[in-house]
């Protein structure tokens, strides 16, 4: 059985200029169609965050559904889609019955009957080929009830135990045990922040209330031959175990991800047991480039920048450390950007820090921004930034719990962007 693991597409993401990244995401989906066909993929697994918001635009939905239709001509027999923390379970599940006719299995949220998370996929000869324990992002209501007065540590322990119990119950299901005894491999999905995982700045953090890594490799039962994870955008293993891993995002979603390795993962199962895993690089069509340094260094780096390897003009994050006046910094940097406008642009302009400031402060400094340019999380993060860490963590935990509850009842009110 040949399986492809991918996650964190974030279709419809708005980045810097407020424009959706439709062109880049369309290029990835076109490439993915060709790759599925060329690699004779039999099952495609998408481990959450298909969309960037819980109320995706028409354009983002069109990308998704058009891709699913085109997949019917590739020879791939089954597609498994699980919801992530950015996805609306209701929106994903709305088309579930129809898509099932096309052998597209959607688990947007935890169903009332846990057995509906267990998918039996046949091989080309019609015999059982793969069992998928399709676990979506586990929301608070899925795994525990709030306990008045519990501490942050108690809350995290409760969440960890509940997640582990959820996976253990699926692994112990009669259908899973029976088929694995017949040498049928078992794959589980997940959309969570595993302990030890490296999260980037911004929306990857705080996927669960409290925001700490909660689940370790030991919490995934041995019955799982592979665990396909989503949420962290950098490809990585969990606990050093090759069969528990994040595929990473196929399109860089922030400047912090610019140097990550965009990939999808090919899994080759020869019966029960760990698969042979091959990383397939995803071509990047737009470079996210940082130019940080002195005024002279930034000028030289921009002028020397070569964008020939990329299809689209690069987007730049420019930070200049200089004791020149802001006006002079802007004049000189904008002059070199103008010379390179066919190759690189700076959508959010040029940030300026005095060279005499401590380097760590200059690097961490946040430029002034209009309110509409900030996410709800970023606004709240700024409000608690000066508080003691424990106090900030507790307030963030409560804030995210409220956001999650309100966002699920009225996604439009929050822009569907809850992390």
């Amino acid at each position: 059985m040949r399986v492809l693991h991918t996650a964190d597409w974030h279709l419809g993401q708005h980045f810097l200029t407020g424009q959706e990244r439709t062109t880049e995401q369309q290029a990835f989906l076109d490439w993915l169609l060709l790759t599925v066909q060329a690699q004779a993929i039999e099952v495609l697994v998408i481990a959450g965050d298909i969309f960037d918001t819980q109320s995706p635009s028409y354009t983002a939905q069109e990308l998704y559904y058009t891709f699913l239709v085109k997949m019917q001509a590739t020879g791939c027999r089954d597609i498994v889609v699980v919801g992530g923390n950015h996805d609306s379970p209701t929106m994903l599940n709305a088309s579930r019955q129809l898509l099932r006719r096309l052998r597209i299995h959607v688990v947007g949220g935890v169903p009332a009957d846990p057995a509906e998370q267990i998918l039996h996929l046949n091989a080309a000869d019609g015999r059982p080929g793969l069992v998928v324990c399709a676990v979506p992002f586990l929301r608070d209501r899925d795994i525990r009830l709030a306990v008045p007065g519990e501490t942050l540590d108690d809350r995290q322990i409760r969440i960890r135990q509940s997640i582990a119990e959820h996976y253990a119950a699926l692994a112990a299901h009669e259908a899973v045990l029976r088929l694995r005894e017949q040498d049928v491999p078992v794959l589980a999905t997940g959309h969570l922040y595993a302990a030890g995982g490296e999260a980037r700045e911004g929306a990857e953090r705080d996927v669960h209330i409290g925001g700490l890594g909660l689940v370790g490799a030991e919490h995934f039962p041995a019955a799982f031959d592979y665990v396909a994870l989503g949420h962290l955008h950098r490809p990585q293993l969990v606990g050093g175990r090759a069969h528990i891993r994040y595929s990473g995002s196929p399109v860089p979603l922030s400047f912090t991800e610019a140097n990550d390795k965009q990939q999808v993962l090919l899994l080759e199962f020869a019966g029960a047991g760990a698969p042979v895993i091959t990383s397939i690089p995803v071509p990047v069509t737009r470079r996210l480039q940082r130019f940080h340094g002195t005024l002279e260094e930034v000028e030289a780096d921009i002028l020397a920048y070569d964008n020939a390897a990329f299809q689209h003009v690069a987007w730049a994050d420019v930070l200049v450390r200089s004791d020149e006046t802001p006006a002079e910094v802007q004049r000189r940097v904008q002059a070199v950007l103008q010379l390179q406008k066919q190759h690189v642009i700076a959508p959010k302009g040029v940030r300026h820090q005095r060279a005499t400031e401590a380097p760590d402060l200059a690097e961490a400094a946040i430029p002034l921004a209009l309110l509409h340019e900030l996410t709800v999380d970023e606004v709240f993060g700024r409000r608690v930034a000066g508080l003691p860490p424990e106090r900030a963590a507790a307030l963030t935990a409560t804030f995210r719990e409220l956001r999650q509850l309100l966002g699920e009842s009225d996604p439009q009110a929050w822009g569907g962007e809850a992390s």
Side-chain angles (χ1 to χ4, degrees), residues 193-227:
Y193 183 11
E198 180 183 342
R200 298 303 195 195
E201 299 169 8
E204 288 187 8
R205 297 192 182 278
D206 303 319
V207 66
H208 268 300
I209 299 163
L212 299 180
L214 297 170
V215 180
E218 69 277 8
H219 292 105
F220 296 105
F224 298 151
D225 298 306
Y226 184 85
V227 181

Side-chain angles (χ1 to χ4, degrees), residues 295 299 320 322-336 350-354:
L295 179 56
E299 287 178 310
V320 176
S322 172
D323 286 330
E324 294 281 357
T325 65
E328 179 65 8
V329 169
Q330 291 288 335
R331 184 190 69 78
R332 288 176 56 175
V333 175
Q334 292 297 338
V336 294
V350 178
R351 294 186 290 157
H352 175 214
Q353 293 294 328
R354 304 294 295 179

Side-chain angles (χ1 to χ4, degrees), residues 366 375-386 392 396 399-400:
I366 303 174
T375 66
V376 175
D377 284 336
E378 288 171 336
V379 173
F380 188 84
R382 292 190 184 194
R383 295 298 299 169
V384 301
T396 300
F399 171 71
R400 288 190 174 276

Side-chain angles (χ1 to χ4, degrees), residues 102-392:
L102 301 177
R103 299 183 66 87
I104 301 169
H105 314 275
V106 179
V107 182
V110 175
D113 181 1
E116 292 183 17
Q117 294 174 89
I118 301 175
L119 309 175
H120 305 170
L121 309 183
N122 291 335
D125 59 7
R127 293 184 297 178
L130 181 69
V131 177
V132 178
C133 294
V135 181
F137 172 64
L138 298 175
R139 286 173 164 77
D140 194 48
R141 66 181 183 219
D142 299 323
I143 56 177
R144 70 171 180 88
L145 296 175
V147 177
E150 70 179 346
T151 67
L152 185 60
D153 288 341
D154 290 339
R155 184 177 300 181
Q156 290 167 353
I157 291 171
R158 186 182 295 273
I159 295 172
R160 183 184 301 114
Q161 290 174 339
S162 298
I163 294 173
E165 289 168 2
H166 188 93
Y167 279 102
L170 293 177
H173 194 279
E174 181 273 335
V176 174
L177 296 176
R178 173 172 48 82
L179 287 171
R180 198 168 190 279
E181 288 176 355
Q182 299 174 17
D183 200 34
V184 177
V186 179
L187 179 149
T189 67
H191 195 91
L192 46 79
Y193 183 11
E198 180 183 342
R200 298 303 195 195
E201 299 169 8
E204 288 187 8
R205 297 192 182 278
D206 303 319
V207 66
H208 268 300
I209 299 163
L212 299 180
L214 297 170
V215 180
E218 69 277 8
H219 292 105
F220 296 105
F224 298 151
D225 298 306
Y226 184 85
V227 181
L229 296 177
H231 180 61
L232 299 187
H233 297 167
R234 184 182 68 82
Q236 54 194 293
L237 311 184
V238 175
R241 302 187 189 183
H243 73 292
I244 307 174
R245 63 171 71 197
Y246 293 92
S247 63
S249 172
V251 174
L253 299 172
S254 71
F255 287 109
T256 61
E257 300 172 29
N259 295 319
D260 288 349
K261 179 181 179 182
Q262 275 62 52
Q263 63 167 24
V264 295
L265 293 167
L266 170 61
L267 319 173
E268 298 177 84
F269 291 96
V276 175
I277 304 170
T278 304
S279 170
I280 303 177
V282 176
V284 176
T285 59
R286 186 190 305 279
R287 174 69 177 169
L288 303 183
Q289 180 69 34
R290 277 178 158 171
F291 296 106
H292 290 187
T294 66
L295 179 56
E296 291 74 19
E297 289 171 340
V298 168
E299 287 178 310
D301 290 344
I302 292 175
L303 288 172
Y305 178 74
D306 182 1
N307 198 54
F310 301 93
Q311 182 178 345
H312 304 298
V313 175
W315 285 343
D317 172 43
V318 182
L319 171 64
V320 176
R321 301 188 187 95
S322 172
D323 286 330
E324 294 281 357
T325 65
E328 179 65 8
V329 169
Q330 291 288 335
R331 184 190 69 78
R332 288 176 56 175
V333 175
Q334 292 297 338
V336 294
L337 284 170
Q338 180 64 24
L339 293 174
Q340 282 281 68
K341 66 180 180 179
Q342 300 300 319
H343 306 288
V344 58
I345 61 174
K348 293 189 74 172
V350 178
R351 294 186 290 157
H352 175 214
Q353 293 294 328
R354 304 294 295 179
T356 52
E357 290 185 16
D360 57 333
L361 294 177
E363 186 68 34
I366 303 174
L368 292 176
L370 297 176
L371 185 61
H372 74 267
E373 293 179 327
L374 301 175
T375 66
V376 175
D377 284 336
E378 288 171 336
V379 173
F380 188 84
R382 292 190 184 194
R383 295 298 299 169
V384 301
L387 298 177
E390 291 186 1
R391 177 62 174 162

Side-chain angles (χ1 to χ4, degrees), residues 10-137:
H10 288 269
L11 300 179
Q13 185 208 30
H14 288 73
F15 185 80
L16 297 178
T17 59
Q19 301 300 313
E20 291 190 14
R21 303 178 69 185
T22 306
T23 304
E24 297 161 78
Q25 292 171 336
Q26 182 66 71
F28 161 66
L29 294 177
D30 291 343
W31 173 88
L32 185 59
L33 286 165
L34 295 174
T35 300
V36 166
Q37 196 161 19
Q39 295 291 338
I41 300 301
E42 299 169 87
V43 177
L44 174 66
V45 175
I46 311 171
D49 280 357
I50 293 86
F51 296 105
D52 194 57
T53 72
Q54 294 186 8
S55 52
S57 67
Y58 170 79
T59 300
Q61 294 183 57
E62 185 177 32
L63 283 177
Y64 172 64
Y65 287 113
T66 299
F67 170 80
L68 295 180
V69 170
K70 290 182 177 180
M71 278 290 293
Q72 303 307 302
T74 64
C76 180
R77 287 192 304 278
D78 293 277
I79 302 173
V80 177
V81 179
V82 300
N85 59 300
H86 280 248
D87 298 312
S88 163
T90 302
M91 182 267 170
L92 285 181
N93 285 340
S95 57
R96 178 177 55 182
Q97 299 297 333
L98 176 62
L99 293 177
R100 187 176 296 169
R101 296 286 182 175
L102 301 177
R103 299 183 66 87
I104 301 169
H105 314 275
V106 179
V107 182
V110 175
D113 181 1
E116 292 183 17
Q117 294 174 89
I118 301 175
L119 309 175
H120 305 170
L121 309 183
N122 291 335
D125 59 7
R127 293 184 297 178
L130 181 69
V131 177
V132 178
C133 294
V135 181
F137 172 64

